[in-house]
Amino acid sequence: MLENKNIVITGSNRGIGYAVLKACAENGANVFACMRNKSDEMERKLHNISEEYEVNIYPVYFDLCDEQMIKDGVSEILKYKIPISGIVNNAGIAGAKSLFLMTTMEDIRSTFDVNFFGHVLLTQRLLKNMIRNKCGSIVNISSAAAIDGDPAQFGYITSKAAMIGAVKKWANELGSYGIRANAVAPGVTNTDMVSEMREELLADTVGNTAMHRIGQPDEIAKTVVYLLSDYSSYMTGQTVRVDGGLHP
């Protein structure tokens, strides 16, 4: 589905990002695996995936809280002088789990830096490449919680809601260049973030899904691959819930 495409993915080292990386490679894409920290174990994993699927995987390291590091990371990507086919803005943090009145502005800003502003800058810096080639697909990883307005985690929910607003704007502004923008809104998914949920809250959430289970990262990744592929060529400005039939 993605043969010969070149995809940039943030948060590639774990959870949904790692699942998306593997799914993109399996479907023939070359991947710029963007991560904050370098590790020998992850480098070995990337090498093995590259060998298994006969694709190129380029590790790129930067912190989404640091504008200069993002700019340097994009410069490293663009040095390869190849067309960027897709961007998956995935990396995210949960931030404070307190209610709005108990959440500090410092925490809200730090959560937005990672979940929203860093990705906005990354996308902006990569867009000239995509516009020049008059094609591409941007996929923002949002959250079903951002749509439903779950209690607590104000910074997380509002930053993920901003990711939905961004794709609507990008879709309208970039459509004439052949660039599409969509969001995926996962429900409760088996990642490190979910492992931090209180047991009673997790059980209650699972009980409110039609499928009565949490999702797996590879299930989210399949939808992302579809949105990156030409199979979704007339789809833009949309938010796709992948939540097991969650009813708040």
Side-chain angles (χ1 to χ4, degrees), residues 84-96:
I84 302 302
S85 314
I87 304 169
V88 182
N89 291 316
N90 161 77
I93 58 173

Side-chain angles (χ1 to χ4, degrees), residues 3-4 7 10 20 31 39 72 81 92-93 104 113-114 130 143 159 167 169 173 176 182 194 208 232 245:
E3 189 172 0
N4 297 322
I7 311 296
T10 65
V20 171
V31 176
S39 77
D72 291 343
K81 298 188 182 302
I93 58 173
T104 67
D113 278 343
V114 177
M130 299 176 83
S143 172
S159 61
V167 299
K169 171 60 178 171
E173 188 170 323
S176 60
N182 295 285
V194 166
N208 285 330
S232 59

Side-chain angles (χ1 to χ4, degrees), residues 213-235:
R213 66 175 178 85
I214 65 175
Q216 298 301 319
D218 65 293
E219 294 178 300
I220 312 303
K222 291 172 184 175
T223 300
V224 175
V225 167
Y226 167 72
L227 292 173
L228 291 169
S229 77
D230 294 337
Y231 284 97
S232 59
S233 59
Y234 197 55
M235 186 173 179

Side-chain angles (χ1 to χ4, degrees), residues 45-219:
K45 286 182 179 180
L46 296 181
H47 175 76
N48 291 339
I49 294 171
S50 175
E51 291 282 308
E52 180 178 0
Y53 298 112
E54 299 181 343
V55 297
N56 295 318
I57 299 182
Y58 312 98
V60 184
Y61 299 98
F62 56 83
D63 189 331
L64 281 164
C65 291
D66 189 313
E67 286 195 15
Q68 189 57 53
M69 288 185 72
I70 295 170
K71 292 175 182 178
D72 291 343
V74 171
S75 295
E76 184 178 341
I77 292 169
L78 296 179
K79 281 180 182 177
Y80 288 90
K81 298 188 182 302
I82 56 179
I84 302 302
S85 314
I87 304 169
V88 182
N89 291 316
N90 161 77
I93 58 173
K97 297 176 175 60
S98 54
L99 295 172
F100 172 57
L101 289 175
M102 302 297 291
T103 306
T104 67
M105 290 305 300
E106 180 182 3
D107 182 79
I108 294 169
R109 290 191 183 98
S110 64
T111 304
F112 263 81
D113 278 343
V114 177
N115 293 1
F116 184 67
F117 293 126
H119 287 117
V120 169
L121 178 59
L122 176 75
T123 302
Q124 189 177 56
R125 305 286 289 197
L126 289 170
L127 267 177
K128 286 184 179 180
N129 177 289
M130 299 176 83
I131 289 172
R132 186 165 56 247
N133 293 289
K134 294 194 178 297
C135 68
S137 174
I138 303 167
V139 181
N140 282 358
I141 305 300
S142 180
S143 172
I147 300 172
D148 299 334
D150 285 4
Q153 292 184 291
F154 178 81
Y156 176 78
I157 288 171
T158 52
S159 61
K160 288 296 187 178
M163 294 290 267
I164 293 174
V167 299
K168 292 181 180 295
K169 171 60 178 171
W170 292 338
N172 287 329
E173 188 170 323
L174 303 173
S176 60
Y177 298 106
I179 298 169
R180 300 179 295 108
N182 295 285
V184 174
V188 180
T189 308
N190 188 18
T191 64
D192 292 345
M193 197 177 293
V194 166
S195 69
E196 298 171 1
M197 290 179 66
R198 300 193 316 272
E199 287 187 15
E200 60 271 23
L201 177 59
L202 179 59
D204 184 58
T205 304
V206 170
N208 285 330
T209 64
M211 299 185 74
H212 297 288
R213 66 175 178 85
I214 65 175
Q216 298 301 319
D218 65 293
E219 294 178 300

Side-chain angles (χ1 to χ4, degrees), residues 9-14 18 21 32-39 42-43 46 57-64 69 91:
I9 306 170
T10 65
S12 294
N13 58 317
R14 61 180 182 171
Y18 184 64
L21 183 154
F32 289 95
C34 301
M35 300 165 284
R36 184 174 58 180
N37 298 315
K38 184 175 182 178
S39 77
M42 191 61 197
E43 294 264 339
L46 296 181
I57 299 182
Y58 312 98
V60 184
Y61 299 98
F62 56 83
D63 189 331
L64 281 164
M69 288 185 72

